[in-house]
Amino acid sequence: MATGLDAVEHIVVLMLENRSFDHMLGWLYADAGNVSPAGQPFEGLTGRESCPGSDGTPVAAYRLTPDTANLYFMPGADPGEGYAATNDQLWGTTSAPAEGSTAPMQGFVTDYAQAIKDNNRKGWYVVPGTTESMIMGCHTPATLPVISALATGFAVCDHWFGAAPTMTMPNRAFACAGTSQGRLDDRVKKFTVPSIFGALGDKVVPWRIYGDTRAPLTKLDFPDTSAAPAANFGLLTDFRADAAGGKLPAYAFLEPSWGSTGNSEHPNYDVALGEQLILDVYRALRDGPDWASTLFILTYDEHGGCYDHVPPPWGVVAPDSSTGQFGFDFTRLGPRVPTVLVSPLIPAGTVFRVPAGDTPLDHTSLLATVEKRWGITPLTKRDMAAPDVGAALSLATPRTDDPLAGVSAPTPPPTPATLAAQPSHLQQVTAGLLADEQQRPADELAGLTTAEDYARWIEEHA
């Protein structure tokens, strides 16, 4: 009988946006002394964590509750993103830290204070009454029942780090290609290296990328996805049909919807919508005929400026030989992001991490897992060194219970009209990629100002 990764025929990844581990799952096992039901230690919040505010007064990490005002739009504004902001959150300065130094993780509140000012200056929506202390508010199982039930019902990775200490596109590039080609910002939207999708295609291993309601952004990011047949792409409706019909590909990569009224969970968008998306994906898999041989990995591309108390490690393998943007050498990871492993081959209450001293889990562990399962040659030195997650699949017989039986997603609150009208960054990225690919006139996007404008233009040109 096949066991571990050998028993897996389908790997499904859903990558959401810009949330840190503590912000989403830090209180998961706090009431049990940060020990899982399986008796494994969990590096969560204790209530003793804090960061100094603008006046130097400590601001403690606190629990968001169902009664918290504007709960699912917290922390209220878009926190600082990117390499400089991450340095500021971790070391208290935008400059590069001393090589090998341990981040004190004390700059989140003061950096967020600046981010609120930046949001207001740019005309971005900020929840009325937002203050710098709100960056220390972290969700509980009572506020995020879906991801919490998956984390306790299967496996949570409490030492899974972003692949680079920066923003979205570089981290998504690492998740799909093992490198960002030296980039640490979102100005470069298309990469020129092979991706895991092209590598799977070369091995004649089926793969598919699914967008939520529109064609997936990842299709435009790499030469081998841009050139792939239309059959390799679909929407969430196609994913549900594939799952129900026993037609899941070997590797499925899912994207949320990118608009400000969408389910990506990017701050300050509605997290309740993301909870529903997570539940929909799980239910499609759990209720389908391929469930017993499926591994579902839920993760987030970066921490997005949200609070986390664990310093990211140094000493990982750089993917490329050349120094990257800002002189960064890619041997330091980004902050922790929420990552949950879901499979009937995983015991409930698992806290999955690699042994101390080993190469940590990061986004290239997605690649390492796929490569190990289907004999794919690693794309870069980073994913060659990355650990896979096969050891989490320790059961010889698939479980038949359903840890999410009776669990429902929170009811989403109405999206404020000002936020709904605001185009999202990744809508703008998608439009820019489409315009470049189709060699549209340079000024064609200049007239797009609202989320509806971008959505309509993308729909017309995708």
Side-chain angles (χ1 to χ4, degrees):
M1 178 182 295
T3 58
L5 280 180
D6 289 338
V8 171
E9 300 296 336
H10 311 280
I11 296 176
V12 177
V13 172
L14 171 61
M15 178 172 272
L16 299 179
E17 279 278 289
N18 290 48
R19 300 281 173 166
S20 71
F21 187 87
D22 276 344
H23 179 73
M24 300 294 276
L25 292 170
W27 299 112
L28 184 69
Y29 287 129
D31 294 341
N34 282 327
V35 177
S36 82
Q40 297 167 332
F42 173 77
E43 191 150 15
L45 293 166
T46 65
R48 297 187 294 273
E49 298 81 9
S50 67
C51 285
S54 296
D55 63 357
T57 303
V59 180
Y62 66 94
R63 299 181 190 225
L64 299 174
T65 73
D67 296 326
T68 299
N70 299 298
L71 170 63
Y72 292 112
F73 297 105
M74 288 294 100
D78 185 8
E81 292 182 45
Y83 178 70
T86 301
N87 287 341
D88 195 32
Q89 292 151 13
L90 275 57
W91 275 274
T93 174
T94 58
S95 301
E99 181 76 21
S101 61
T102 299
M105 311 298 284
Q106 290 289 286
F108 284 90
V109 176
T110 51
D111 188 81
Y112 189 53
Q114 182 60 50
I116 295 170
K117 295 176 184 177
D118 291 343
N119 278 229
N120 286 320
R121 175 177 54 81
K122 296 173 182 176
W124 294 352
Y125 176 75
V126 175
V127 172
T130 295
T131 65
E132 64 181 41
S133 64
M134 290 179 178
I135 200 65
M136 300 301 288
C138 298
H139 283 281
T140 65
T143 61
L144 297 182
V146 177
I147 190 174
S148 298
L150 288 176
T152 57
F154 297 97
V156 60
C157 300
D158 64 344
H159 282 182
W160 185 296
F161 297 87
T166 190
M167 54 181 58
T168 289
M169 295 306 288
N171 273 294
R172 286 185 171 267
F174 267 95
C176 296
T179 179
S180 66
Q181 295 185 275
R183 301 306 300 182
L184 285 166
D185 61 30
D186 285 354
R187 290 188 178 91
V188 171
K189 307 169 184 66
K190 191 177 183 73
F191 301 89
T192 59
V193 291
S195 75
I196 190 63
F197 307 105
L200 287 166
D202 291 343
K203 277 272 192 174
V204 199
V205 178
W207 62 270
R208 206 171 188 198
I209 304 173
Y210 302 87
D212 182 45
T213 57
R214 288 186 171 85
L217 169 60
T218 308
K219 178 182 188 297
L220 305 170
D221 287 339
F222 306 98
D224 49 23
T225 54
S226 293
N232 285 109
F233 306 97
L235 304 179
L236 185 62
T237 51
D238 301 306
F239 170 76
R240 287 172 171 161
D242 288 348
K247 297 179 180 179
L248 284 174
Y251 185 51
F253 188 82
L254 279 68
E255 294 180 6
S257 54
W258 299 123
S260 53
T261 59
N263 50 24
S264 71
E265 298 194 346
H266 189 296
N268 50 358
Y269 306 164
D270 186 353
V271 172
L273 294 172
E275 281 276 281
Q276 185 64 60
L277 174 61
I278 296 167
L279 182 60
D280 289 346
V281 171
Y282 170 77
R283 287 260 64 95
L285 296 172
R286 176 62 180 77
D287 297 341
D290 295 325
W291 170 241
S293 59
T294 295
L295 169 62
F296 170 35
I297 304 176
L298 168 65
T299 190
Y300 291 70
D301 54 23
E302 49 138 331
H303 79 297
C306 296
Y307 175 69
D308 196 75
H309 78 279
V310 174
W314 296 75
V316 294
V317 175
D320 314 303
S321 57
S322 58
T323 300
Q325 192 177 11
F326 309 122
F328 186 64
D329 65 1
F330 290 90
T331 61
R332 170 166 57 92
L333 296 177
R336 294 189 302 172
V337 295
T339 302
V340 177
L341 310 178
V342 179
S343 167
L345 298 170
I346 297 174
T350 296
V351 178
F352 184 74
R353 60 172 81 151
V354 298
D358 286 4
T359 298
L361 295 161
D362 82 308
H363 292 331
T364 59
S365 293
L366 300 173
L367 301 176
T369 301
V370 172
E371 289 160 358
K372 182 175 180 180
R373 172 59 186 86
W374 285 289
I376 305 296
T377 300
L379 300 170
T380 72
K381 295 177 183 177
R382 172 68 72 83
D383 54 303
M384 181 183 294
D388 64 81
V389 303
L393 305 161
S394 60
L395 299 179
T397 303
R399 293 162 51 187
T400 58
D401 63 312
D402 183 358
L404 271 73
V407 174
S408 57
T411 301
T415 300
T418 306
L419 177 58
Q422 179 180 305
S424 76
H425 172 56
L426 287 182
Q427 277 184 312
Q428 295 170 326
V429 167
T430 302
L433 282 168
L434 284 168
D436 290 346
E437 185 177 75
Q438 298 172 16
Q439 299 182 326
R440 312 294 301 182
D443 60 350
E444 184 165 334
L445 303 182
L448 306 181
T449 59
T450 68
E452 185 177 353
D453 291 341
Y454 276 93
R456 186 185 306 112
W457 191 94
I458 292 168
E459 188 71 27
E460 292 171 353
H461 294 89

